[in-house]
Amino acid sequence: MISVIFVCLGNICRSPMAEFVFKKMVDERSLSLSFDITSRGTSDEEEGNGIYPPAARTLRTHGIEGRHVSRQLTKKEVLNADYVLVMDSGNLFDVLRLTGGQCSEKVFKLCSFTSHPRDVADPWYTRDFEKAYSDIRDGCEGFLNYVLSAHSDMLGYDSRH
Ligand code: 4NP
């Protein structure tokens, strides 16, 4: 089982979008049983809230639905995860502050797995949820290709097929 936590600030926009996008990609490859996929926020500001409606609407236009309750990331969750995928440099800083610098080898910016490493622009401020979706999709595709080759023994999956 490969555990993946997607992390943003509030856990109501970008990281739940990434969670649902990645779950769908994994499901389409019949690999759901090999992954434990969730999302968290570095802040507790939105604790207990659902996915932000414009983020949910954007997902729905791409045929993706999911239930969600915002939760703040804990140090223990980082210690137990295989991969912690953050949306931007601020999230990266906050996660490493939470762990006191531990676990830096498993914390990555999601779009570092693309041919154009970048932050996922925060739609809370840009209001461009479609752009956030597109960045997230690109990052999830890149990350999935990475894990398929890095764990090909365990996943029994040849990404060339
Ligand atoms: P997220 O977006 O980190 O992608 O969930 C935000 C949600 C809430 C706030 C900022 C960003 N906020 O400042 O409340």
Side-chain angles (χ1 to χ4, degrees):
M1 178 81 91
I2 299 167
S3 61
V4 182
I5 311 176
F6 292 97
V7 175
C8 63
L9 178 66
N11 191 217
I12 57 168
C13 297
R14 294 166 295 173
S15 62
M17 288 173 85
E19 174 187 339
F20 297 138
V21 165
F22 192 65
K23 278 180 172 165
K24 185 164 185 226
M25 284 179 183
V26 162
D27 192 41
E28 282 167 356
R29 287 166 177 78
S30 306
L31 290 172
S32 296
L33 294 177
S34 300
F35 285 88
D36 176 25
I37 303 161
T38 188
S39 66
R40 293 288 186 266
T42 56
S43 106
D44 66 357
E45 199 121 321
E46 301 289 344
E47 182 83 18
N49 291 338
I51 187 167
Y52 190 53
R57 270 199 296 279
T58 303
L59 287 178
R60 269 200 302 279
T61 65
H62 293 280
I64 300 172
E65 306 250 7
R67 288 185 59 74
H68 177 69
V69 178
S70 170
R71 293 274 174 258
Q72 186 177 26
L73 181 70
T74 66
K75 179 174 177 177
K76 189 172 168 207
E77 287 170 332
V78 178
L79 296 178
N80 289 334
D82 294 310
Y83 294 97
V84 178
L85 301 177
V86 301
M87 302 296 128
D88 63 30
S89 301
N91 306 150
L92 183 62
F93 181 86
D94 289 340
V95 171
L96 295 180
R97 186 172 51 187
L98 176 70
T99 63
Q102 275 180 270
C103 301
S104 60
E105 72 288 349
K106 63 169 93 160
V107 188
F108 302 91
K109 286 206 280 184
L110 178 60
C111 287
S112 67
F113 292 98
T114 72
S115 55
H116 171 34
R118 61 198 185 276
D119 285 353
V120 176
D122 190 343
W124 186 261
Y125 300 106
T126 66
R127 311 311 297 172
D128 191 343
F129 287 84
E130 197 55 45
K131 170 76 166 73
Y133 173 83
S134 159
D135 285 347
I136 285 166
R137 204 181 153 81
D138 195 22
C140 284
E141 273 169 2
F143 175 64
L144 183 55
N145 285 333
Y146 169 79
V147 281
L148 289 178
S149 62
H151 302 271
S152 59
D153 49 342
M154 173 184 166
L155 296 171
Y157 193 93
D158 186 337
S159 59
R160 288 168 300 177
H161 294 152

